[in-house]
Amino acid sequence: MEYKGIDVSKYQGNINFKKVKNAGIQFAIVRIGYGQYESQKDEYFEANYEGFKSQNIPVGVYLYSYAKSVSDAKKEAAVVLKWLNGRRLNLPVYYDIEDKSQINLGKNTLTKMCEAFCEEIEKGGYWAGVYANKYFFTTYLDYQKLGEKYTLWVAQYNDVNTFSGKYDMWQYTSSGRVNGISGNVDLDTLYKDIFTDTGNDRVDLPDLSDYNGTSIVDALKSVGYDSSFDSRKNLYREVGFTDTYKGTALQNENLLNALKKGSNEYYYSDYKGYSFVDALKQIGVDASFANRKIIAARNGISNYKGTSSQNLKLLNLLKEGKLRK
């Protein structure tokens, strides 16, 4: 699956968001600011965030970094969290690291800066990612290490992306044209469904609470609901699973259990291990610290730090079918 998107800042000026929506844009990454000081917030951030949200266009943000140390990177993360002030995002908070003033810091320091920024962002309850152009990724960052922990967004203005590392999004031009925006705009392709909330595009969930069988196909048919693969794939994502639906026996069982229990709980009664993270991964749910913190808060743990006792409590709720999403 591919999604067509744009990234914008104050340089795009006033945007006609309805026209952008009608042009087929499926997501937007908005610059929230640059640097570590509150005065450096993008002056169009508020308008852009609210404008895309008003059209149900999924939104993420990025910060352009001028950090020169791990300490600076943490300060940049702190100011981003302050600017966000709890706002809901559909896509990650990206760390845009590419400034020429940073290249003499060396690969080790620059990679640690990215890790420090992303760690703080995820502690704040958001999904973090790193943005850079192909040359910066391959020359100044340990992109393989970063790609194991965070989603990567790579820029290469070319017909084909030749970046060999793992990435989920590609910025392929800075001279795109989109109806509703005057002048050029960056165009992006997202290759992975990493949306956390699709606004009003949610589908109606079937009520399977009275079904006593074991087949998700039969269950859906019993209530007159479309049981095709594509329909099940949409339902799988809608109830909160984040891995790619392939129609496996385990995925179908998890989907059936979720719909029987209702869409507000995760359920995995057959898990035999002791790891909350592993259990979430096995049922296709994002197990990052950021998402676990969100789940914990919804289940009465407001100070989630990933401790053994906290994870055990959440795991037990999962096994009982009482873990709220």
Side-chain angles (χ1 to χ4, degrees):
M1 191 73 178
E2 295 184 2
Y3 301 89
K4 178 182 178 182
I6 57 176
D7 57 277
V8 302
S9 68
K10 70 175 185 179
Y11 298 110
Q12 274 65 55
N14 294 317
I15 295 173
N16 186 317
F17 300 99
K18 185 175 183 179
K19 287 184 177 180
V20 170
K21 174 79 170 182
N22 292 337
I25 294 302
Q26 296 170 288
F27 70 91
I29 311 296
V30 175
R31 189 177 77 157
I32 195 167
Y34 55 96
Q36 61 184 271
Y37 302 108
E38 289 188 48
S39 60
Q40 294 174 308
K41 182 168 71 171
D42 189 299
E43 61 194 79
Y44 276 74
F45 165 65
E46 309 285 351
N48 286 336
Y49 174 87
E50 296 297 337
F52 288 119
K53 280 289 188 180
S54 72
Q55 297 299 315
N56 294 318
I57 297 176
V59 177
V61 302
Y62 75 93
L63 175 100
Y64 189 93
S65 172
Y66 285 106
K68 297 295 181 62
S69 66
V70 168
S71 177
D72 283 348
K74 289 182 178 180
K75 291 176 182 177
E76 289 183 328
V79 77
V80 167
L81 293 173
K82 187 165 187 176
W83 287 331
L84 284 172
N85 193 29
R87 286 182 178 85
R88 294 180 64 182
L89 296 177
N90 314 97
L91 290 157
V93 174
Y94 288 99
Y95 196 41
D96 180 350
I97 186 163
E98 57 179 314
D99 198 74
K100 292 180 180 179
S101 66
Q102 298 169 319
I103 61 177
N104 292 328
L105 298 174
K107 180 182 289 188
N108 184 55
T109 296
L110 287 170
T111 300
K112 287 183 177 179
M113 285 164 50
C114 291
E115 290 177 312
F117 177 90
C118 290
E119 286 173 5
E120 294 301 310
I121 291 298
E122 294 204 336
K123 287 178 184 178
Y126 295 93
W127 191 354
V130 178
Y131 165 96
N133 59 59
K134 177 192 173 184
Y135 181 75
F136 205 98
F137 264 129
T138 56
T139 307
Y140 301 112
L141 294 172
D142 187 341
Y143 64 86
Q144 292 179 324
K145 184 177 182 180
L146 292 173
E148 291 175 356
K149 298 180 178 181
Y150 311 110
T151 180
L152 301 187
W153 173 18
V154 61
Q156 185 185 24
Y157 302 156
N158 195 6
D159 292 335
V160 178
N161 191 339
T162 60
F163 178 59
S164 60
K166 175 184 175 182
Y167 63 96
D168 295 318
M169 189 156 65
W170 173 29
Q171 183 188 84
Y172 58 91
T173 183
S174 61
S175 55
R177 307 289 291 191
V178 173
N179 193 26
I181 297 177
S182 300
N184 294 336
V185 63
D186 297 338
L187 300 182
D188 306 277
T189 299
L190 178 64
Y191 298 99
K192 181 180 180 182
D193 183 351
I194 55 177
F195 303 113
T196 59
D197 172 21
T198 51
N200 293 332
D201 295 331
R202 301 182 71 83
V203 301
D204 293 329
L205 298 176
D207 181 4
L208 302 182
S209 58
D210 294 330
Y211 179 74
N212 296 317
T214 58
S215 167
I216 182 62
V217 173
D218 289 345
L220 293 173
K221 288 180 178 178
S222 72
V223 295
Y225 200 93
D226 181 6
S227 63
S228 67
F229 179 87
D230 286 341
S231 175
R232 283 180 279 128
K233 183 177 180 180
N234 289 337
L235 286 171
Y236 191 75
R237 181 177 68 181
E238 201 63 33
V239 298
F241 299 117
T242 57
D243 60 327
T244 301
Y245 180 76
K246 297 180 180 179
T248 66
L250 179 59
Q251 288 176 327
N252 285 334
E253 180 184 356
N254 288 332
L255 177 57
L256 178 59
N257 285 333
L259 292 173
K260 280 184 177 181
K261 292 290 295 184
S263 62
N264 292 324
E265 292 86 25
Y266 292 119
Y267 185 53
Y268 191 10
S269 62
D270 294 332
Y271 181 68
K272 306 301 182 184
Y274 301 95
S275 168
F276 181 53
V277 171
D278 180 58
L280 289 178
K281 288 180 178 179
Q282 287 197 29
I283 60 172
V285 177
D286 175 14
S288 67
F289 180 88
N291 196 50
R292 282 183 282 128
K293 184 173 182 179
I294 293 171
I295 293 173
R298 291 172 180 167
N299 287 273
I301 302 176
S302 59
N303 61 336
Y304 181 76
K305 298 180 180 179
T307 65
S308 297
S309 60
Q310 289 174 330
N311 284 335
L312 180 59
K313 178 180 179 180
L314 295 171
L315 179 61
N316 287 335
L317 289 173
L318 176 64
K319 290 181 177 181
E320 295 169 4
K322 298 178 181 179
L323 186 70
R324 293 188 62 81
K325 295 178 181 177

